[in-house]
Amino acid sequence: MSAHLEGRIQQLSVSRARSILYILAALVSLAGLADATYLTVLYLTGETALCGGSPDCFKVLGSGYAHIGRIPVAGFGVIGYFGVFSLATFAGFGYAGARRLFVWLIWAMFAVTLWFLFVQAVLLHAFCRYCLLSAAVVFLLTGLVVAGLSSD
């Protein structure tokens, strides 16, 4: 085989692996979207979350950190996760601009997640399982970026 053909085969292999990672990122973001949507709907309807009797969950979701004015923080999560899903889908189809925005959005969500973990651990001394699920999703998405999606 010629060097050109070998290089092209390797390039296609890397491109296919990245597409698979973007598909995985899009699917993972749906878990975060469902979590954030659930919490947003609960906040807007005045219902209480199914926390399994965990007082920590209620303490976090009822704190002043759970909203900015009248907007629930989870509402921003809905926007963020929908953005990740959309950008991962476009990036998987080869849109370079979507790839760059995808990486920036993930890093922004990672920074916000670190802040909210700090709030729960240090300021509230309580953890919400829905918030921890969201943190796990963001950590997984960040891992995918570190694993190879940021080098596009």
Side-chain angles (χ1 to χ4, degrees):
M1 260 201 267
S2 72
H4 174 71
L5 184 57
E6 286 179 11
R8 181 70 179 138
I9 289 172
Q10 183 180 10
Q11 187 180 35
L12 287 173
S13 175
V14 168
S15 176
R16 178 174 164 86
R18 282 199 183 119
S19 291
I20 290 170
L21 287 175
Y22 281 116
I23 290 168
L24 184 58
L27 292 173
V28 167
S29 72
L30 290 176
L33 181 60
D35 180 50
T37 300
Y38 173 71
L39 292 176
T40 301
V41 168
L42 289 178
Y43 182 88
L44 295 175
T45 61
E47 298 292 322
T48 55
L50 298 173
C51 293
S54 169
D56 283 358
C57 185
F58 295 119
K59 183 176 180 182
V60 173
L61 294 176
S63 76
Y65 296 100
H67 55 89
I68 299 173
R70 302 184 102 197
I71 302 171
V73 170
F76 294 105
V78 169
I79 294 166
Y81 284 120
F82 183 76
V84 168
F85 175 79
S86 300
L87 291 170
T89 301
F90 283 119
F93 283 104
Y95 291 93
R99 290 176 182 163
R100 286 187 294 277
L101 288 172
F102 172 83
V103 171
W104 280 103
L105 180 55
I106 294 297
W107 284 116
M109 290 174 72
F110 182 73
V112 170
T113 296
L114 291 179
W115 163 250
F116 281 115
L117 287 172
F118 170 81
V119 166
Q120 289 179 82
V122 177
L123 302 178
L124 298 176
H125 304 288
F127 289 95
C128 163
R129 56 183 70 162
Y130 298 104
C131 305
L132 294 177
L133 171 62
S134 181
V137 169
V138 171
F139 277 48
L140 184 54
L141 290 168
T142 305
L144 289 172
V145 166
V146 171
L149 296 181
S150 64
S151 60
D152 285 336

